[in-house]
Amino acid sequence: MKYDSLILACSPRPGGNTDTAAKLIADTLEQQGFSPEVIYLRQFKIIPCQGCQKCAEEGLGHCILAANDDAQMVLEKILTFRRLFLCSPIYFYHLPAGLKALIDRSQSFYSMWIKEQLKVHRGQAKIILIAGRKKGDKLFAGSQLTLKYFLSTFNYSLEYLDLRGLDKVADLKSNSTILEKIREFAI
Ligand SMILES: Cc1cc2nc3c(=O)[nH]c(=O)nc-3n(C[C@H](O)[C@H](O)[C@H](O)COP(=O)(O)O)c2cc1C
């Protein structure tokens, strides 16, 4: 069992605001003596769930796609680490397709969890969602609901930091107020 942190950066855009947040979290944790692992989700192959429901019959590790891509490996990391930082942009009021594909592929873990066959310890997830728009009451609502049920399978409690008005690739890098908020959130 590892108690260090997994940092999951979920933007398709390299070097953008999500990556800046993920790197800042990693630097902050390293300064405190931790050795977090950063994963850039776009670097991995995630095939969308095909809804075959075979995992409901056979359970964890029996996703028919498991040998063909990296979803199982990433999901097992989420299961093993007990501190997760998940950073993602908002796309069309929700999570980007790559992250949603990973979430759908956790159905095989859900199938075990629902049968009480998934052994998990309690973990803490800190979620940073980044939106380009400054306004919108429900900008983060859909993503938060999805993440709540995704991570409940892995027995994570959730805390959120919602960031608005960050759109261009370097917007976060030049915003010292929000950078400081992220640093505080990481601790
Ligand atoms: C396909 C797409 C859809 C987007 N949809 C939204 C949206 O619904 N609401 C919003 O506030 N920003 C939206 N944005 C803006 C991104 O959330 C914003 O640019 C964010 O900073 C991107 O993060 P990144 O730099 O880490 O890639 C969208 C951007 C793209 C490319």
Side-chain angles (χ1 to χ4, degrees):
M1 185 67 58
K2 288 186 188 174
Y3 288 97
D4 224 317
S5 299
L6 176 67
I7 303 170
L8 200 54
C10 303
S11 177
R13 175 161 72 170
N17 300 309
T18 305
D19 286 12
T20 300
K23 172 128 188 11
L24 180 58
I25 292 164
D27 291 348
T28 306
L29 295 175
E30 277 165 14
Q31 280 158 17
Q32 293 189 319
F34 295 105
S35 308
E37 180 173 342
V38 185
I39 286 189
Y40 297 93
L41 197 59
R42 62 179 172 272
Q43 295 175 348
F44 295 94
K45 182 179 171 191
I46 312 286
I47 303 171
C49 171
Q50 296 176 359
C52 69
Q53 301 282 15
K54 286 270 192 303
C55 60
E57 296 158 27
E58 297 172 29
L60 179 65
H62 291 280
C63 174
I64 58 158
L65 301 170
N68 301 334
D69 73 354
D70 302 311
Q72 187 81 10
M73 179 275 290
V74 176
L75 292 167
E76 280 176 11
K77 279 189 191 288
I78 293 173
L79 189 68
T80 309
F81 281 82
R82 303 317 301 152
R83 287 176 75 202
L84 171 69
F85 289 86
L86 190 151
C87 308
S88 176
I90 296 294
Y91 273 19
F92 283 92
Y93 275 75
H94 218 283
L95 302 166
L99 175 55
K100 184 57 167 59
L102 180 77
I103 291 170
D104 291 349
R105 287 288 301 285
S106 74
Q107 183 72 3
S108 58
F109 290 73
Y110 172 81
S111 297
M112 291 289 282
W113 177 80
I114 203 83
K115 293 183 213 159
E116 298 181 2
Q117 291 168 351
L118 187 66
K119 285 197 182 125
V120 280
H121 298 273
R122 188 130 193 95
Q124 183 194 31
K126 294 195 176 190
I127 314 287
I128 298 186
L129 297 175
I130 299 173
R133 292 188 74 219
K134 290 186 180 157
K135 292 184 181 169
D137 284 351
K138 297 191 175 162
L139 205 46
F140 304 99
S143 306
Q144 290 186 350
L145 201 54
T146 297
L147 288 167
K148 176 181 165 186
Y149 289 106
F150 166 50
L151 289 170
S152 68
T153 298
F154 298 89
N155 207 13
Y156 276 102
S157 62
L158 271 62
E159 279 178 66
Y160 295 102
L161 179 63
D162 298 335
L163 303 176
R164 294 168 182 267
L166 301 172
D167 205 10
K168 297 199 181 77
V169 73
D171 275 358
L172 178 55
K173 282 191 190 104
S174 59
N175 191 322
S176 55
T177 309
I178 300 185
L179 289 171
E180 188 50 34
K181 270 191 196 166
I182 295 171
R183 225 174 263 120
E184 282 169 15
F185 188 65
I187 298 168

